[in-house]
Amino acid sequence: MFAVIGHPIAHSLSPVLHRIGFEILGVEAEYLKVDVPPEKLDDFMRAAPLIFRGINVTIPHKVRAAELVDELDPVARRVGAVNVIDFKDKSVGYNTDVAGIRVSVEEVVDPKGLRIAILGAGGAARAAVVAFMDDAHVTIFNRTPERARELARLFGVEARSLSEVGEIRKHDVVINATPVGMDGSSSPVPPEALTKGQVVVDMIYRPLYTPLLKMARERGAVAVNGLKMLVVQGVESERIWLGRAPPWREVYRRLLEELAKRSF
């Protein structure tokens, strides 16, 4: 038994993704989505090892969940947030979002030496910073500048206000690590923050093309949706839980086929 927890959680495609992954691997398993309000997270984490073999963690629990596990793997410790928890002998937190966002960008461009703007200062933003800070020039943009500065000091990168659209335009890659856009009508930045030739990545995958990505296309930028990131981080979750994982491209192909049958 596995699950993804978050609040809200109804939009999650993780059960579909993992059903495909388990089928490819020939593993009989059940995967649920569980809505856990923030005030219930501590109670849930105490009960979870009795019910689940492992869980995925999404908004808004990634940072707090890292404080509630028995142990963090080195990447999760560096990020300070988890999106995967394994319940073997003890609860161990991992962060596969780092691999997910890195692969998503590398499918389009080599990020080494590029200027990368990360929008947001939460758990997803932390993973994006760690994914690129060692070999690219990273700047955190956040609506609340002080939160951006706090995170920037923690990782030794730059910080600016999300309102500085002229500065965002100077970056080669723009990554939305906020939930803004999940409603299908809002964007974390206005169109003038984007420019031709940029790579614009939204970590949101539902809707598949958010207002931000639609604006990116209109401005001549390369738009990358969050579905590849979802698949890569999910496949890596299975590797942690089961010791093996299906090829992420095969899972991605089958997920796209499944979504094509739905109104997604």
Side-chain angles (χ1 to χ4, degrees):
M1 182 85 77
F2 301 91
V4 57
I5 66 167
H7 183 75
I9 200 63
H11 69 284
S12 177
L13 282 178
S14 290
V16 182
L17 184 160
H18 287 288
R19 176 175 54 76
I20 292 169
F22 294 151
E23 284 177 1
I24 293 171
L25 293 174
V27 172
E28 291 187 14
E30 189 169 353
Y31 190 101
L32 309 176
K33 48 186 173 185
V34 183
D35 194 308
V36 180
E39 66 273 15
K40 298 291 186 181
L41 181 61
D42 291 37
D43 290 340
F44 175 88
M45 286 296 294
R46 281 190 285 270
L50 304 175
I51 305 168
F52 299 105
R53 174 66 180 75
I55 61 172
N56 287 122
V57 182
T58 190
I59 294 171
H61 301 317
K62 294 182 179 184
V63 175
R64 176 59 181 156
E67 301 169 355
L68 297 175
V69 295
D70 297 322
E71 184 179 308
L72 292 172
D73 100 308
V75 175
R77 187 179 302 112
R78 192 179 185 196
V79 175
V82 303
N83 72 305
V84 184
I85 299 176
D86 185 58
F87 299 119
K88 282 194 180 83
D89 303 319
K90 54 187 174 182
S91 60
V92 182
Y94 299 82
N95 196 298
T96 63
D97 284 338
V98 173
I101 189 61
R102 181 81 188 197
V103 168
S104 296
V105 172
E106 286 180 336
E107 287 286 292
V108 180
V109 66
D110 183 351
K112 294 176 183 176
L114 297 186
R115 296 161 298 174
I116 298 182
I118 296 171
L119 315 182
R126 286 168 172 255
V129 172
V130 170
F132 300 106
M133 60 181 285
D134 290 338
D135 59 3
H137 305 285
V138 173
T139 303
I140 300 168
F141 291 82
N142 195 57
R143 185 177 58 183
T144 307
E146 183 51 38
R147 284 200 66 196
R149 286 193 289 269
E150 287 175 9
L151 196 60
R153 282 194 294 267
L154 182 64
F155 290 112
V157 298
E158 295 184 40
R160 290 187 177 274
S161 169
L162 198 55
S163 63
E164 297 182 65
V165 296
E167 291 299 321
I168 296 173
R169 284 175 58 89
K170 297 177 182 177
H171 288 72
D172 305 296
V173 180
V174 178
I175 299 172
N176 179 32
T178 80
V180 179
M182 289 178 68
D183 59 3
S185 60
S186 57
S187 171
V189 294
E192 53 268 26
L194 309 177
T195 188
K196 185 177 181 179
Q198 281 180 324
V199 174
V200 181
V201 185
D202 206 323
M203 294 171 82
I204 295 170
Y205 59 83
R206 196 165 194 171
L208 200 56
Y209 282 92
T210 59
L212 175 69
L213 295 184
K214 290 176 182 177
M215 288 190 313
R217 282 176 159 178
E218 290 168 1
R219 305 286 287 189
V222 177
V224 180
N225 66 60
L227 204 60
K228 281 182 183 175
M229 177 179 173
L230 175 75
V231 170
V232 172
Q233 67 79 29
V235 164
E236 290 306 308
S237 300
E238 293 175 9
R239 193 182 311 279
I240 289 164
W241 297 327
L242 305 171
R244 57 197 178 103
W248 76 261
R249 286 186 173 84
E250 173 66 9
V251 176
Y252 182 71
R253 182 186 65 79
R254 289 179 55 172
L255 182 59
L256 283 177
E257 289 176 355
E258 182 125 357
L259 294 180
K261 302 172 187 175
R262 309 179 179 199
S263 56
F264 181 71

